[in-house]
Amino acid sequence: IRVLIDILSIVSPLAFKQASRLPVMARKVATRMKVERLWEMELAAMLSQIGCVTIPVQILEKREKGIPLNEWEYKMFSYHPQTGKNLLAKIPRLDNIAEAIGVQLKRYDEEKSDPAHGKHISLLGRILKAVLDLDSILQTGKTRKEALDIMRGNYEWYDPQVFAALEAELMDVEEGYI
């Protein structure tokens, strides 16, 4: 696992930087939701961007700056979770983490004909989606309040309980609220 993280930091410093920011918030949200194995959440957040080693740096730079990707770039970027899942699925005892990484971009309201929608998306994956979206918005220079407002505008993309836990964490509501 350490080798994968080191490879990510060398091959894709932008993706590594994002992956390094995620574990703290992911753990806080998971704690509020009473996730039992918090280490899986932290590891999923830390390794969430491992699939980005296959994406040209120019695409990652555009995305970090909030510049819209063209169709080809978006297609390439949106495949990175599956690449990450495939890499991690080969490591014993990382099944839940690999699954979460594979669905990290899936919206909660995704097409109902897709078996991986709503509650069928792993809880770790649903938390990753919210934390990743929050991080991406914050990197464009928005405040936490502005980021939450943007996310509220797309509320159906998130598991309501995950969103409530994220919102409570950002608003410093006492522990246990959701």
Side-chain angles (χ1 to χ4, degrees), residues 44 81 84-90 94-103:
K85 177 182 177 179
N86 293 342
L87 286 169
L88 295 173
K90 296 174 176 119
L94 294 189
D95 316 6
N96 292 340
I97 294 163
E99 178 61 29
I101 288 170
V103 297

Side-chain angles (χ1 to χ4, degrees), residues 37-107:
R37 296 187 300 207
L38 290 174
W39 68 270
E40 285 185 333
M41 184 73 261
E42 289 176 327
L43 198 51
M46 201 177 328
L47 292 171
S48 65
Q49 303 305 296
I50 193 67
C52 289
V53 297
T54 61
I55 300 174
V57 70
Q58 299 87 345
I59 293 174
L60 296 175
E61 286 173 346
K62 278 179 76 172
R63 188 157 191 299
E64 183 180 50
K65 292 175 183 171
I67 300 170
L69 303 178
N70 67 37
E71 185 179 340
W72 175 82
E73 292 167 333
Y74 179 77
K75 196 174 208 177
M76 180 177 269
F77 179 79
S78 64
Y79 193 71
H80 88 82
Q82 191 60 46
T83 301
K85 177 182 177 179
N86 293 342
L87 286 169
L88 295 173
K90 296 174 176 119
I91 301 174
R93 294 183 301 246
L94 294 189
D95 316 6
N96 292 340
I97 294 163
E99 178 61 29
I101 288 170
V103 297
Q104 66 183 297
L105 297 181
K106 282 215 176 265
R107 293 174 17 186

Side-chain angles (χ1 to χ4, degrees), residues 1-166:
I1 292 169
R2 183 75 232 160
V3 169
L4 288 174
I5 293 168
D6 288 347
I7 288 170
L8 180 62
S9 73
I10 293 166
V11 175
S12 187
L14 280 177
F16 174 74
K17 199 164 75 172
Q18 182 177 35
S20 298
R21 290 188 303 262
L22 299 175
V24 172
M25 183 59 71
R27 180 183 181 82
K28 289 178 178 181
V29 171
T31 298
R32 282 183 182 272
M33 296 192 70
K34 308 222 181 321
V35 170
E36 288 184 23
R37 296 187 300 207
L38 290 174
W39 68 270
E40 285 185 333
M41 184 73 261
E42 289 176 327
L43 198 51
M46 201 177 328
L47 292 171
S48 65
Q49 303 305 296
I50 193 67
C52 289
V53 297
T54 61
I55 300 174
V57 70
Q58 299 87 345
I59 293 174
L60 296 175
E61 286 173 346
K62 278 179 76 172
R63 188 157 191 299
E64 183 180 50
K65 292 175 183 171
I67 300 170
L69 303 178
N70 67 37
E71 185 179 340
W72 175 82
E73 292 167 333
Y74 179 77
K75 196 174 208 177
M76 180 177 269
F77 179 79
S78 64
Y79 193 71
H80 88 82
Q82 191 60 46
T83 301
K85 177 182 177 179
N86 293 342
L87 286 169
L88 295 173
K90 296 174 176 119
I91 301 174
R93 294 183 301 246
L94 294 189
D95 316 6
N96 292 340
I97 294 163
E99 178 61 29
I101 288 170
V103 297
Q104 66 183 297
L105 297 181
K106 282 215 176 265
R107 293 174 17 186
Y108 192 73
D109 69 341
E110 203 88 23
E111 188 177 326
K112 302 291 186 222
S113 64
D114 182 351
H117 76 278
K119 291 279 186 193
H120 299 288
I121 300 170
S122 78
L123 177 58
L124 299 181
R126 287 179 270 155
I127 294 171
L128 266 182
K129 167 72 175 149
V131 171
L132 279 162
D133 285 2
L134 172 68
D135 183 73
S136 294
I137 295 167
L138 291 174
Q139 292 313 300
T140 65
K142 304 281 188 223
T143 66
R144 285 177 161 205
K145 182 188 178 321
E146 291 169 330
L148 269 178
D149 288 342
I150 290 168
M151 291 176 76
R152 277 188 201 106
N154 298 308
Y155 183 76
E156 67 280 357
W157 292 4
Y158 310 102
D159 174 329
Q161 291 181 320
V162 170
F163 191 82
L166 178 69

